[in-house]
Amino acid sequence: MRKRLLASIIAGLFVTTAQAAPEIYGKAFMTMDYINSEADYDQRINATKDFDEDSFQINSNFSRIGLRGSEAMTTNTDVVYRLEYGIEIDGEDRTFQSRDTYLGLNNQDYGEFRFGRNSSVFSYVYEPMVTRAYWDNLGKRTLNDSGGAAALNMLDYTRSDNSALWIAPEYNDLQLVVQYVAGESFDNNEDGYGASIKLAKAAYTAGLAYSKDIEASGSINTLDFVTDDNVEGRVSYGGDAIRGTLTVDLDKYIDLGTPITLGAVYQQADYDFRGSKKEKGLIVSGKMALNNFAKPTTVYLQYNKTDNLNGISNNDSDQIVLGGEYQFKDNIIAHAYIGQNSADYTSPMDPTRSVADIDVFAVGGGLEYLF
C-alpha cells in the first residue's frame, strides 16, 4: 500500500512538472542581399558627401529565441509568461535584444492580461503586410547614423516597456486589445494608451487600431533630423496614430483556381511638435498561391507610400517589392525578393528645401527556419 501511494505521489509530481515546463521556440532567418543605395545631398543644407554604395550583405532578419508557457492557478485562471529575445545570428550584434517579455493571467471569462514589455496594439492588425526579410522595414524613418541611405517608411509602433495589455475574449469573430503604457517609459512622463479591434471572417479581415503617446521600441521621445545648421536636431514625436486594415480572399467569392488575397492599409500619425503635418501612409498588397510546384509556393507584390514622413511636409517615400516564398515544410521556408525605395528627405526647419534624394534597390533571398 505504501509503495503504491509513494508511486502515485511521484507520478503526480512528474505530471505537474511536465505541465508547467516552458516551451522553447524561436526562428532563424538568414538572407544574402545585394543592395545599391544612393543619397544625393543638397550641399547648401548639409555638408555630408553624396553617398553611393553597392554591397553584398549576409543578414539576420528578426531571428529570435524564447520561452513561453502557462500553468493553472485556479480552475478558470492560468498564469502565462513569455521571455523572447532577438539575436543577430550573423554575429553583428552579440547581445540579446528584448522582444515580448511579460508575466500575466489568462481567465476563461475575462481574457488575458499581460504585464511587462508588450507588442503594440498596431501589431494585432498586421495582416496586409506581406514583405519579408530586408523589405520588412515598416518603421524605418531616419537616415543611417553614418549618413548612408536607408529605405524609409511610415511609422510603426512595435513594443512598449512598462506596459499592460488586455486581450478580451473573442466574441462573434471580434478581437479587442487594449494597452496602457506607464509614463515612466517616456521623457515627458505622460501615460500612453491604445486599442485595436479586428474582425476575422473566413473570407476577409478588417481591423482598426489607435494609439496615443505610445512610442516605438527602444526609442527616445525624439527623432533625429539634419538641420539647416549642419547639426543633428531633435524633434519630439509624441502624438497619436490610427491604422485601418482590410484583407479579402478573392477565391472565396470568385472561382480563380488559386487562392489570392488582397490587402490594404491606411494610416495617419499626428505629431505633437509645432508645425508638424499629418504623416499619411498607404499600403496595398496582393498574395497569390502558385499551383505548379511540388511544395506550397506563393508570390506577393506590395506597394508602400508615405507622405509627410516624420510629420515634415514634402518628406515623402515610395516603395514597391515583389517577392515569393517556397515552403519545404511548415517550418522551413525559402524566400526571394526584389524591391525599390525612393524618398525625398526634407529639412524640418524649411520643408520646401530638400536635404537629400534617396534611392535604395535591394534583391536577395534566404532561408527561414522555425522551431
Side-chain angles (χ1 to χ4, degrees), residues 54-243:
D54 295 280
S55 64
F56 284 94
Q57 299 180 8
I58 296 175
N59 291 313
S60 175
N61 302 279
F62 304 106
S63 300
R64 68 200 65 164
I65 188 168
L67 299 173
R68 62 188 172 196
S70 64
E71 184 169 345
M73 187 171 70
T74 68
T75 304
N76 295 323
T77 303
D78 293 346
V79 171
V80 294
Y81 59 90
R82 176 179 292 192
L83 301 172
E84 182 177 296
Y85 300 92
I87 182 68
E88 298 291 334
I89 59 177
D90 56 358
E92 286 191 2
D93 188 345
R94 294 176 176 82
T95 59
F96 288 97
Q97 303 293 326
S98 178
R99 291 172 58 86
D100 282 31
T101 52
Y102 59 78
L103 180 66
L105 299 171
N106 186 12
N107 181 272
Q108 294 179 9
D109 298 319
Y110 300 107
E112 187 167 321
F113 300 83
R114 300 174 180 176
F115 304 90
R117 177 174 168 82
N118 289 292
S119 290
S120 162
V121 293
F122 272 39
S123 66
Y124 290 85
V125 289
Y126 221 77
E127 287 77 13
M129 291 74 150
V130 294
T131 50
R132 304 298 307 278
Y134 181 86
W135 292 110
D136 185 5
N137 66 329
L138 207 65
K140 180 66 177 178
R141 308 169 63 225
T142 59
L143 300 180
N144 293 336
D145 294 338
S146 62
L152 304 179
N153 222 314
M154 69 184 72
L155 172 73
D156 187 35
Y157 291 131
T158 52
R159 292 176 178 84
S160 297
D161 301 331
N162 307 306
S163 65
L165 194 76
W166 174 49
I167 303 174
E170 188 174 301
Y171 177 75
N172 286 344
D173 300 319
L174 283 170
Q175 181 189 54
L176 173 67
V177 181
V178 178
Q179 186 174 29
Y180 164 77
V181 182
E184 61 181 305
S185 302
F186 312 131
D187 289 350
N188 58 15
N189 291 319
E190 291 186 3
D191 297 339
Y193 55 88
S196 70
I197 188 167
K198 182 175 71 174
L199 176 64
K201 293 291 188 179
Y204 67 91
T205 68
L208 184 66
Y210 171 79
S211 66
K212 175 69 174 177
D213 292 333
I214 297 178
E215 299 168 22
S217 169
S219 67
I220 308 173
N221 190 26
T222 52
L223 278 172
D224 298 333
F225 294 99
V226 180
T227 70
D228 291 340
D229 298 324
N230 291 330
V231 297
E232 199 170 308
R234 310 192 71 85
V235 180
S236 169
Y237 76 110
D240 56 4
I242 188 168
R243 170 185 292 175

Side-chain angles (χ1 to χ4, degrees), residues 282-349:
L282 174 68
I283 299 173
V284 291
S285 66
K287 193 169 187 177
M288 179 175 69
L290 301 180
N291 298 325
N292 298 324
F293 289 83
K295 302 290 184 179
T297 305
T298 57
V299 294
Y300 59 81
L301 183 68
Q302 180 171 310
Y303 172 70
N304 294 37
K305 179 177 177 56
T306 308
D307 293 333
N308 304 329
L309 185 73
N310 301 323
I312 307 300
S313 63
N314 300 320
N315 202 14
D316 305 326
S317 75
D318 292 272
Q319 177 175 298
I320 188 165
V321 179
L322 173 67
E325 300 176 7
Y326 186 85
Q327 196 167 330
F328 290 98
K329 294 183 177 180
D330 289 344
N331 64 326
I332 303 176
I333 307 165
H335 296 266
Y337 43 83
I338 184 171
Q340 173 79 26
N341 180 286
S342 299
D344 295 324
Y345 202 68
T346 59
S347 167
M349 311 306 292

